[in-house]
Amino acid sequence: MKNRQKRLNIAAAVLAALLLAVVVWGCVHGADPLHIQVSDGIERVDLNTIYLQSSGVEVNFSDVILSGQNETRKLIVSTQRGTVSTKLTDRLIRQLDFDFMKKTQNVSYTGTGYFVVDLDSLTAANVIEDRKEKTVTIRIGHAYLQAIEIDPDDIIVDAVEESLLARGDIELTLADYNAIERDLRARLVEKFDTAANGQAANELALKMVKEVYEPIVKAIDRRYRVIVQFK
């Protein structure tokens, strides 16, 4: 009986020694003998991006980019300021064009022209994804002069230049005022809508549209980059 008990004690001591050796080995080599690795199908690329390997979920970049198309969106890419003026002339006798028989007055308009890009005209065909190169190409229309704004405070009417026989203010009718405004606005359009201004606005459009959409694309997948081209 004593021998049997002695053998059991020896076996227990050996088992305890083996178990202790396994624990010590695991601590030294950084392994947890009780840890079980389970794959959850998630690949963490960085702190902001998680890819689901087998979820079946696929995000369409064009759907996200075009999701707000119910709103009219015109991106202002460039502004131009300019001044044009005209000289009003009032003759004492309309048929006679002599300096001593006429009075003049200068009117100046200062306006701001806005070059814009239509983002509300984008369609799914304008958003091209290249999964191999990890790019999203957005094709936009060219920038164009969309509006001219004239501030009433920037309208300057100079004093009347009188002559020997022509005195007093120049009397203008409502039709005269409308004709003056149409003429000056048309001249502002000519001043702003030039090839040089259009080229500058197009270069800014490529840069600014990329700044609008790149954060959206990278929020979906940081590996992608955005390319903006003209249609």
Side-chain angles (χ1 to χ4, degrees):
M1 177 66 73
K2 291 182 179 181
N3 291 335
R4 181 181 179 186
Q5 183 64 39
K6 185 177 180 179
R7 286 195 297 271
L8 290 175
N9 291 339
I10 294 173
V14 172
L15 182 60
L18 290 174
L19 181 59
L20 179 61
V22 170
V23 172
V24 171
W25 184 90
C27 293
V28 172
H29 292 83
D32 183 358
L34 300 180
H35 177 70
I36 301 176
Q37 293 186 349
V38 179
S39 174
D40 54 8
I42 295 178
E43 176 189 355
R44 184 177 292 276
V45 176
D46 54 42
L47 293 177
N48 299 316
T49 307
I50 293 177
Y51 300 106
L52 304 181
Q53 296 174 345
S54 304
S55 65
V57 177
E58 185 174 310
V59 178
N60 190 311
F61 286 102
S62 63
D63 290 344
V64 177
I65 290 174
L66 303 176
S67 60
Q69 292 302 86
N70 292 331
E71 305 172 3
T72 299
R73 296 178 297 178
K74 295 184 185 298
L75 179 65
I76 298 174
V77 296
S78 176
T79 59
Q80 299 283 336
R81 281 183 64 82
T83 301
V84 293
S85 61
T86 189
K87 178 178 285 190
L88 309 179
T89 302
D90 187 13
R91 293 192 293 268
L92 184 63
I93 301 176
R94 293 185 178 278
Q95 289 78 10
L96 300 177
D97 188 18
F98 298 108
D99 289 343
F100 64 88
M101 298 182 65
K102 64 184 179 182
K103 51 190 173 182
T104 60
Q105 186 176 31
N106 287 326
V107 178
S108 300
Y109 274 30
T110 298
T112 303
Y114 296 91
F115 285 83
V116 303
V117 170
D118 287 330
L119 299 182
D120 53 348
S121 63
L122 290 176
T123 65
N126 304 135
V127 182
I128 301 101
E129 175 188 355
D130 188 329
R131 296 185 180 182
K132 180 180 179 182
E133 298 296 330
K134 293 293 186 290
T135 61
V136 175
T137 300
I138 302 174
R139 293 178 177 169
I140 62 173
H142 287 272
Y144 64 94
L145 181 65
Q146 194 263 341
I148 291 178
E149 181 181 87
I150 298 175
D151 189 334
D153 294 335
D154 289 332
I155 299 175
I156 300 175
V157 180
D158 294 340
V160 174
E161 295 182 6
E162 301 175 328
S163 65
L164 179 63
L165 299 180
R167 300 288 179 174
D169 294 333
I170 295 179
E171 301 295 333
L172 298 174
T173 66
L174 180 59
D176 292 331
Y177 281 111
N178 290 336
I180 293 169
E181 183 178 358
R182 285 194 302 270
D183 176 63
L184 292 178
R185 186 176 290 272
R187 289 167 65 183
L188 279 173
V189 170
E190 293 177 0
K191 189 178 187 70
F192 294 142
D193 201 9
T194 64
N197 286 343
Q199 178 64 31
N202 278 332
E203 292 175 0
L204 287 170
L206 295 175
K207 177 182 177 181
M208 294 177 68
V209 172
K210 180 175 181 177
E211 291 176 353
V212 168
Y213 289 116
E214 191 159 58
I216 298 174
V217 169
K218 286 193 172 296
I220 299 171
D221 191 329
R222 293 182 63 85
R223 298 173 300 176
Y224 276 76
R225 60 189 179 92
V226 172
I227 300 172
V228 182
Q229 299 174 344
F230 291 114
K231 297 178 184 177

